[in-house]
Amino acid sequence: MAEKMVQADLFGVETPVETVRKLGVPPELSVEPEPAMVRVAPGRHAWVPKSAATPPDQYVACRWSRQADGTYAPVPVAGRYVRLDSRTATLLGFPAREVDEGVERCRYDTIIRLGRAGFIDLVRIAPNTILLDLDSWYRHLADCMDDPDRWDEGSEDRETYLKANDLGGWKRYV
């Protein structure tokens, strides 16, 4: 009789296999699923459904890293990059402005200057093609929120920005 019974329903009543088949519920409900745990920190595990596991990318951007034994190993380049253009700059808070004859252009010179000064990561991969690392952008925003006086007159970050971009504010000290 026990082999014809399955998992108890909501109210603790066991349901016969025939009824389960009519309802379309698989009789394997009484079998415990295999755990799918992932170690997320020392001594800490988190559950991840097996269906969520994805295979690694077929292609990835890497750099070569020299190992202690003299060999080289590929190390994936971390970061989420987007092409820096007017649409991206508008999404980041640099809206388009009317330039001439009603044509709207978005200038993202400030973003390029921040990259030149080392506050965010930009990669020029081809002429007129610049990639922005979004992780560095959001890190920069967090730094600015943590220090509201960061860009005040005379601050170290402001001086770094002006000097790296040859904007002249630093020349009064030379």
Side-chain angles (χ1 to χ4, degrees):
M1 178 76 174
E3 62 273 347
K4 292 191 176 191
M5 303 304 281
V6 292
Q7 183 173 348
D9 66 9
L10 182 63
F11 301 104
V13 178
E14 292 183 342
T15 309
V17 173
E18 293 80 24
T19 307
V20 170
R21 285 194 182 118
K22 285 179 191 171
L23 295 174
V25 180
E28 297 86 31
L29 288 177
S30 62
V31 178
E32 284 189 41
E34 290 182 32
M37 301 296 282
V38 175
R39 184 175 173 188
V40 294
R44 299 282 184 189
H45 288 78
W47 177 80
V48 176
K50 288 189 181 216
S51 61
T54 56
D57 293 329
Q58 185 175 2
Y59 301 101
V60 65
C62 292
R63 66 178 175 78
W64 289 105
S65 173
R66 186 177 174 96
Q67 304 299 302
D69 62 359
T71 61
Y72 288 87
V75 177
V77 175
R80 295 175 286 173
Y81 292 91
V82 294
R83 182 176 181 171
L84 186 58
D85 59 12
S86 349
R87 290 181 308 156
T88 305
T90 301
L91 291 172
L92 295 176
F94 296 85
R97 294 185 220 137
E98 190 173 319
V99 180
D100 16 294
E101 293 124 29
V103 176
E104 288 190 358
R105 281 193 58 211
C106 180
R107 301 287 309 225
Y108 41 87
D109 295 340
T110 303
I111 298 172
I112 292 173
R113 288 184 190 124
L114 286 169
R116 197 176 295 138
F119 294 106
I120 60 174
D121 296 332
L122 296 176
V123 181
R124 186 177 300 269
I125 60 169
N128 300 321
T129 306
I130 300 172
L131 298 181
L132 165 66
D133 180 9
L134 287 177
D135 293 331
S136 73
W137 174 256
Y138 289 115
R139 182 181 61 241
H140 176 69
L141 291 180
D143 291 346
C144 290
M145 286 187 279
D146 290 343
D147 184 9
D149 303 327
R150 182 176 198 174
W151 300 109
D152 286 350
E153 187 73 35
S155 70
E156 186 178 331
D157 286 340
R158 184 182 179 101
E159 296 303 317
T160 301
Y161 177 86
L162 294 174
K163 185 173 182 177
N165 292 291
D166 199 23
L167 295 175
W170 60 277
K171 289 184 180 179
R172 65 179 174 266
Y173 299 111
V174 176

